[in-house]
Amino acid sequence: MRSNKLFSALLVSAGVAVTLAVPGTANAAALEDCTGSTNHQDLSAGYNSLNSGAAIRSGPKVACSVRGTGPSAVALHCWAVNEANHVWWFVNISGKATKGWVYEPNMYYTVARYESNRCKV
């Protein structure tokens, strides 16, 4: 398994310092659980819509069971990178109790990912 590739690069351009965070696969093994017991938090990452037929799964991988499908408006809780190096979001369907994981390309709108709304696993 790959080790965490999260690193910071200090850029100095025109006297401005910027720190860049690059997502890696830290704790990816902990995300491979399809039981829904993966630690997730509501980090209030915003809202999005799912593409038609997009699956909401019990865990962040295709092999996990489907709990619901799009199109639906969803609240974004947090994101994570699984062992296959794919980005998944923990969501819940707006106005319903259905919660689960959605593969990022299945979201209608482009999503901004920040370390502050990354799932703490």
Side-chain angles (χ1 to χ4, degrees):
M1 182 164 77
R2 294 182 189 177
S3 64
N4 182 6
K5 295 293 182 185
L6 179 61
F7 65 91
S8 295
L10 183 61
L11 301 176
V12 180
S13 175
V16 177
V18 178
T19 301
L20 300 175
V22 178
T25 56
N27 300 313
L31 292 174
E32 299 305 309
D33 184 5
C34 289
T35 64
S37 63
T38 300
N39 186 21
H40 56 273
Q41 308 79 31
D42 183 358
L43 300 176
S44 300
Y47 296 89
N48 207 323
S49 294
L50 300 182
N51 293 325
S52 182
I56 299 173
R57 298 187 179 274
S58 62
K61 62 182 181 179
V62 176
C64 295
S65 64
V66 176
R67 293 182 169 174
T69 58
S72 298
V74 293
L76 305 174
H77 290 257
C78 60
W79 64 275
V81 179
N82 69 6
E83 277 188 347
N85 209 29
H86 295 148
V87 177
W88 289 73
W89 283 83
F90 190 79
V91 304
N92 76 284
I93 296 177
S94 298
K96 297 187 179 182
T98 304
K99 294 182 180 182
W101 293 90
V102 175
Y103 181 47
E104 187 175 69
N106 289 330
M107 293 191 194
Y108 186 78
Y109 298 104
T110 302
V111 182
R113 282 183 260 127
Y114 303 100
E115 283 303 309
S116 61
N117 60 16
R118 186 175 185 149
C119 299
K120 310 300 188 259
V121 184

